[in-house]
Amino acid sequence: MLTLGILGSGSGSNMQAILDAVESGQLRARIALVLSDNPDAYILERAKRNGIPAELIDCAPHRTKFPEAIQRETAEKLKRAGVDLVCLAGFMRLVKSPILDVFPSKILNIHPSLLPAFPGIEAWKQALEAGVSETGVTVHEVDIGMDTGPVILQESVAIHSDDTPEILHARIQIVEHRLYPEAIALHAQRINL
Ligand code: GRF
């Protein structure tokens, strides 16, 4: 059975969507481990409430850096839990070679824009500021860059003239929650997991 590990720094609504897809039988997988670099992230609470092992990746005192030694430990934890596909779901640190080397082509990320447009943080705000009429959602393989890597699935989301950042992000998240489980299933099938 496909065994997932999820890394997130925030509310974990994408983790919840993946779990819902697992529980409804839409996604044949199990979530073995949830990890967060943020001790206050609701994703940890959600995981525990659902009986999924959840742990903190303690990067203190580094605010944004993901030190190599901690990346190695993280990769080991995921391996020990039997994880064969890693899903980044709102994870705010850059994953580099200590994890990429252990999970080649086996780390996915979800990003709230039509990449390569608007990489980086708060992509929905970037789209609003750019004045474009549509943005979207991308699920892609993670490589050494930030929000680069081969695209697995993309879907566009319309921007309305009266959108606030909050309203647009909420509309994007509805698409994210449907697209991520689909992309996981598609990628797992392609690489024979
Ligand atoms: C999502 O919008 C995702 O695209 C971005 O961070 C957000 C995470 O949301 N990378 P959640 O924690 O899954 O609710």
Side-chain angles (χ1 to χ4, degrees):
M1 159 102 58
L2 174 63
T3 301
L4 306 174
I6 300 186
L7 271 62
S9 308
S11 101
S13 70
N14 279 287
M15 192 247 8
Q16 186 70 55
I18 295 166
L19 181 61
D20 292 347
V22 166
E23 287 182 344
S24 72
Q26 184 213 328
L27 177 63
R28 285 171 51 83
R30 68 186 188 99
I31 303 174
L33 184 60
V34 170
L35 298 173
S36 179
D37 59 322
N38 173 5
D40 302 321
Y42 187 55
I43 192 170
L44 289 172
E45 179 66 28
R46 274 189 208 264
K48 286 178 193 155
R49 284 187 190 185
N50 284 285
I52 300 168
E55 285 179 40
L56 176 69
I57 306 170
D58 192 355
C59 296
H62 306 285
R63 260 183 7 94
T64 55
K65 201 177 156 202
F66 195 5
E68 290 228 342
I70 300 179
Q71 295 209 32
R72 272 195 297 278
E73 268 173 44
T74 302
E76 276 163 27
K77 263 186 196 163
L78 291 162
K79 271 285 166 202
R80 270 202 304 276
V83 167
D84 34 43
L85 189 68
V86 178
C87 301
L88 307 185
F91 188 64
M92 300 307 286
R93 293 179 200 249
L94 282 182
V95 166
K96 296 283 185 193
S97 67
I99 300 179
L100 288 168
D101 293 350
V102 177
F103 293 97
S105 299
K106 292 175 183 163
I107 308 179
L108 307 188
N109 181 42
I110 188 156
H111 185 79
S113 77
L114 293 175
L115 288 172
F118 311 125
I121 59 163
E122 300 189 319
W124 59 92
K125 276 193 192 161
Q126 297 184 48
L128 274 181
E129 278 159 18
V132 293
S133 60
E134 66 167 26
T135 183
V137 174
T138 303
V139 181
H140 65 96
E141 278 180 47
V142 173
D143 65 9
I144 203 77
M146 184 180 62
D147 300 327
T148 52
V151 170
I152 298 163
L153 280 180
Q154 277 187 317
E155 192 171 310
S156 61
V157 173
I159 299 180
H160 303 163
S161 55
D162 56 352
D163 274 347
T164 62
E166 294 71 29
I167 289 171
L168 178 57
H169 190 215
R171 191 178 308 120
I172 287 172
Q173 286 224 290
I174 293 169
V175 175
E176 288 186 339
H177 298 161
R178 178 166 41 74
L179 211 65
Y180 213 172
E182 277 178 35
I184 291 168
L186 182 65
H187 189 69
Q189 189 197 11
R190 277 187 190 152
I191 64 168
N192 293 316
L193 280 178

